[in-house]
Amino acid sequence: VGSGNSVYSSDNGVLYDKTQSQLIFYPTAKFGEEYALPSTVRRIENNAFAGNALIKKVIMNDGLEKIGEEAFYNCTSLAEAEIPDSVTELGRKIFNGDTAKTAAEYYRNQSNRKNGSLYNGCWLIEADLSRAELNIEPETKRIASGAFTWNYNNKIEKITIPESVEQIPEGAFSSCRKMTEFAVDADNRYFCAEDGILYNKEKTVLTAYPNAK
């Protein structure tokens, strides 16, 4: 990008906005197994790395706040991409692919899953929908908007939310058609459950009513 451009800039061949607070596009055929984001980055835009089959590790900076939808879609070799705690907004299907085989290595690696569910940092990325009861892992703070992506084989009937969870996106559980009950750790400072219904801690907001209750 020319230095006189008032809107865009580039770093090592990667496209950014002028202030390098938004990573817009990482070239699909760019060589290199590792890339570290500049400390100025606050947003990774939708599909920013999508389709690059060469990159194996992305180092995300503290201060990053948002990762857009399908940011690493079809990045088949990507095995390491730790999401920092500073991220408060996560798009859908960030590690997925057109098929299971084209998803990121991070997504395919079963060692990144706990009891079938995919986690990264403090985030629940994708829940295991094959079980009737799901206990979200301790230390999980945030649930990704696509964690319970629509699936006709969704068998979840009960979800237990630990003390640590502080952020649940609107409509997060709308695809859980068999849900009958939420349970929340009594020490959670943000949410509670009464009669199986999920509320904010003060019970001023009804967060989610089980679809099959």
Side-chain angles (χ1 to χ4, degrees), residues 112-200:
N112 293 322
R113 295 178 181 266
K114 298 177 182 178
N115 295 316
S117 295
L118 182 67
Y119 293 85
N120 186 307
C122 66
W123 286 87
L124 168 58
I125 303 294
E126 183 179 274
D128 178 6
L129 306 179
S130 68
R131 60 185 64 223
E133 294 191 19
L134 175 69
N135 296 313
I136 296 175
E137 291 292 317
E139 310 305 324
T140 303
K141 293 182 180 179
R142 304 181 180 105
I143 297 174
S145 58
F148 295 84
T149 301
W150 182 263
N151 186 321
Y152 282 104
N153 295 318
N154 188 328
K155 298 178 181 178
I156 293 179
E157 298 175 8
K158 178 181 179 181
I159 295 175
T160 299
I161 297 170
E163 174 187 355
S164 55
V165 170
E166 58 188 48
Q167 181 179 326
I168 299 173
E170 184 176 349
F173 311 106
S174 60
S175 68
C176 299
R177 296 175 298 143
K178 297 182 179 181
M179 272 285 297
T180 60
E181 179 185 0
F182 288 98
V184 181
D185 189 294
D187 291 327
N188 188 294
R189 296 182 297 144
Y190 301 91
F191 300 97
C192 68
E194 183 176 293
D195 193 27
I197 303 167
L198 183 63
Y199 296 90
N200 70 337

Side-chain angles (χ1 to χ4, degrees), residues 33 49 52-58 72 75-81 94-95 103-108:
E33 296 184 352
F49 288 81
N52 187 297
L54 303 172
I55 195 163
K56 295 183 178 180
K57 181 177 182 179
V58 174
F72 305 104
C75 291
T76 54
S77 298
L78 183 64
E80 296 182 61
I94 62 169
F95 295 118
E105 173 63 26
Y106 184 89
Y107 181 89
R108 304 194 312 271

Side-chain angles (χ1 to χ4, degrees), residues 64-77:
L64 183 67
E65 298 170 357
K66 178 182 178 181
I67 301 175
E69 294 191 5
E70 301 181 354
F72 305 104
Y73 199 80
N74 285 337
C75 291
T76 54
S77 298

